[in-house]
Amino acid sequence: AMSITALRMRYRPLKDKFSTPTAAAGCPSLVEMLVNAISTVKESAEEYYAHKNDQQRSDAGRAHHHAVTLCYSTVLRSLPETVLLLPGQDEPHRAPSVDRSCMRSASLELRSDEFGMKRVVELLMKYESNTENQHESAIRMLHCCESWAKYVSVPTDIVNLTIGNIGSNYFQIMNPCATREEER
């Protein structure tokens, strides 16, 4: 629902159905709009728990951070399916009531390097950097990359970043002697 709302705000239908609409003036990208919506909730919650005592603030802060990073991941993970999946390709997926030319513009935006998957990974890394549980963070990142990879080609640097890091961490866990030998 948030993705469709953002799409409707960013792209307005044109009278000429064969024209591709441009983004509304001063309107951020679809990815940025979704992140800004979650960030507004995040800031409101931070103001609320800032008035608690230290222990309550610490507990609430951890829970809050976990909830917010989960929201970022979930919203950004659902965006490509909402915009890039053609109506009727998936049984439970319904055609959104958005002008086709607007969907085409949104599709072009999400397939671009500037506003697409690369930007999503940058934002997730930014928000996941303070996560205590790096395992959960890595899983959220991989789920998001998987969702995007169903609809857009994955840039090589993202493959190296996600799979490369996970692979090297996996091999270090499976063969701890190898890391000790490398340190010598």
Side-chain angles (χ1 to χ4, degrees), residues 147-159:
S147 295
W148 278 78
K150 290 176 184 177
Y151 306 101
V152 299
S153 58
V154 181
T156 306
D157 52 335
I158 292 176
V159 172

Side-chain angles (χ1 to χ4, degrees), residues 77-122:
R77 188 172 65 213
S78 67
L79 181 61
E81 181 178 330
T82 303
V83 175
L84 301 174
L85 181 65
L86 298 175
Q89 264 189 315
D90 191 13
E91 285 299 320
H93 182 76
R94 302 208 191 287
S97 58
V98 176
D99 187 72
R100 286 180 186 234
S101 62
C102 295
M103 292 293 281
R104 185 172 49 249
S105 292
S107 176
L108 291 171
E109 177 181 322
L110 295 182
R111 293 174 194 279
S112 73
D113 284 342
E114 184 180 0
F115 300 117
M117 187 175 189
K118 279 188 175 184
R119 183 66 182 141
V120 167
V121 170
E122 288 171 7

Side-chain angles (χ1 to χ4, degrees), residues 49-171:
Y49 74 79
H51 303 291
K52 304 291 182 184
N53 68 38
D54 289 339
Q55 181 60 39
Q56 290 173 325
R57 189 177 314 133
S58 175
D59 293 342
R62 280 194 298 278
H64 170 71
H65 182 75
H66 175 74
V68 167
T69 55
L70 189 59
C71 286
Y72 282 129
S73 174
T74 302
V75 166
L76 294 173
R77 188 172 65 213
S78 67
L79 181 61
E81 181 178 330
T82 303
V83 175
L84 301 174
L85 181 65
L86 298 175
Q89 264 189 315
D90 191 13
E91 285 299 320
H93 182 76
R94 302 208 191 287
S97 58
V98 176
D99 187 72
R100 286 180 186 234
S101 62
C102 295
M103 292 293 281
R104 185 172 49 249
S105 292
S107 176
L108 291 171
E109 177 181 322
L110 295 182
R111 293 174 194 279
S112 73
D113 284 342
E114 184 180 0
F115 300 117
M117 187 175 189
K118 279 188 175 184
R119 183 66 182 141
V120 167
V121 170
E122 288 171 7
L123 288 168
L124 283 177
M125 289 181 68
K126 174 184 169 185
Y127 295 115
E128 294 278 357
S129 63
N130 297 329
T131 302
E132 289 179 8
N133 190 338
Q134 292 300 314
H135 176 72
E136 286 180 14
S137 176
I139 289 172
R140 282 192 295 269
M141 177 70 77
L142 283 176
H143 282 292
C144 192
C145 287
E146 176 189 24
S147 295
W148 278 78
K150 290 176 184 177
Y151 306 101
V152 299
S153 58
V154 181
T156 306
D157 52 335
I158 292 176
V159 172
N160 292 336
L161 175 74
T162 54
I163 304 302
N165 287 344
I166 290 171
S168 63
N169 289 336
Y170 173 77
F171 289 120

